[in-house]
Amino acid sequence: MLVLLPPSEGKASSGRGAPLKLESLSLPGLTEARAAVLGELVELCAGDEEKAREVLGLSEGLRGEVAKNAGLPSAGARPAGEIYTGVLYDALGLASLDAAAKKRAARSLLVFSGLWGAVRVTDRIPSYRCSMGVKLPGLGALGAHWRAPMAAVLPEAASDGLVLDLRSSAYAAAWKPKGEVAGRTASVRVLHAPTRKVVSHFNKATKGRIVRSLLSAGVAPKDPAGLVEALRDLGYVVEVEPPKGAGKAWMLDVLVDEVH
């Protein structure tokens, strides 16, 4: 099972670990594309601060993120699972998983990123600020920048098992499973049952809980139908929209009564 996650806007500090080594990250086929984004981002942030803030969409209160980006090559690195914070990652609670569940997380979780493309939770990265929606002056829109390298690398990472897609739309645009891989992909959204509406905070928290439930239970469904069965066994209310034709992903709605 491969679980595709969005990153978080908020991130923990880099800490005092050894600096980033691009060649040490998972999915080495993305190294060249990562180097291009990193170099462009550092150059942008080391120059005109106001231009960098505008390009990155940062408010006045986030001005310090520009200097942080400029220092990325020498910043300390920590496991990505410790860097990413926020609602989904709080609910997922990687640090409090038991040893077996942590091993499952290391194998199955893949976090998408405007800067790194995608990383495993065990990959060591520094704290940064660069969303997938950014358009860098020399590279253009990052979603478009990542499509070709992702298309070359991600099918192999998906292997022959289930792909559970929990990404937001901006990150989903960087790689859309196609063909046979799409047929074993399940995209999930979380709905407030009484209103059938998506509530952002609630949506993220529930996705984190779903991943934690699967990891803790040691459940690794082989296909979307198996995922539906597993989620229902774990107590979730799931509605299913099977794919409309070959090469299409399954759509799953998880219904929850309480917004929290």
Side-chain angles (χ1 to χ4, degrees):
M1 179 174 65
L2 185 68
V3 182
L4 311 181
L5 297 175
S8 58
E9 286 295 322
K11 298 174 183 69
S13 62
S14 294
R16 298 174 183 246
L20 166 76
K21 292 183 179 179
L22 279 180
E23 65 275 11
S24 72
L25 298 179
S26 301
L27 308 177
L30 300 178
T31 300
E32 184 177 345
R34 287 167 175 154
V37 179
L38 179 61
E40 179 83 11
L41 181 63
V42 170
E43 182 179 356
L44 170 70
C45 292
D48 185 327
E49 185 179 84
E50 292 305 317
K51 178 181 178 182
R53 200 157 65 85
E54 180 181 355
V55 169
L56 297 174
L58 301 177
S59 65
E60 175 65 32
L62 294 173
R63 183 180 292 273
E65 299 292 288
V66 175
K68 181 169 75 174
N69 281 347
L72 283 173
S74 59
R78 296 166 60 185
E82 297 176 13
I83 290 290
Y84 293 114
T85 59
V87 176
L88 188 154
Y89 291 91
D90 286 346
L92 172 53
L94 284 170
S96 62
L97 291 172
D98 63 34
K102 285 179 179 176
K103 288 181 180 179
R104 296 181 197 111
R107 292 194 304 266
S108 62
L109 304 188
L110 200 61
V111 184
F112 275 61
S113 161
L115 176 52
W116 317 115
V119 292
R120 303 280 186 187
V121 292
T122 50
D123 284 332
R124 298 180 64 85
I125 58 173
S127 184
Y128 67 96
R129 191 79 175 213
C130 184
S131 71
M132 191 66 81
V134 164
K135 294 182 180 180
L136 291 174
L139 291 178
L142 290 179
H145 170 78
W146 284 113
R147 280 181 201 133
M150 289 286 198
V153 169
L154 266 293
E156 182 179 353
S159 187
D160 58 356
L162 169 72
V163 178
L164 173 54
D165 192 352
L166 301 177
R167 298 172 295 167
S168 55
S169 57
Y171 291 90
W175 180 60
K176 294 183 179 180
K178 297 183 183 298
E180 183 269 335
V181 178
R184 48 188 167 84
T185 296
S187 294
V188 173
R189 63 178 184 169
V190 179
L191 301 181
H192 182 216
T195 64
R196 284 302 198 276
K197 292 182 178 179
V198 175
V199 182
S200 179
H201 177 100
F202 162 65
N203 173 55
K204 293 174 183 177
T206 303
K207 286 180 176 179
R209 293 186 192 108
I210 286 171
V211 177
R212 183 180 179 89
S213 296
L214 292 170
L215 294 173
S216 297
V219 178
K222 300 296 184 183
D223 53 35
L227 173 65
V228 173
E229 181 179 353
L231 290 177
R232 288 173 174 166
D233 287 346
L234 289 167
Y236 292 95
V237 178
V238 184
E239 293 182 350
V240 185
E241 183 178 329
K244 298 176 180 178
K248 302 290 185 182
W250 289 51
M251 302 298 296
L252 275 55
D253 287 338
V254 174
L255 307 180
V256 187
D257 289 327
E258 297 182 2
V259 178
H260 59 89

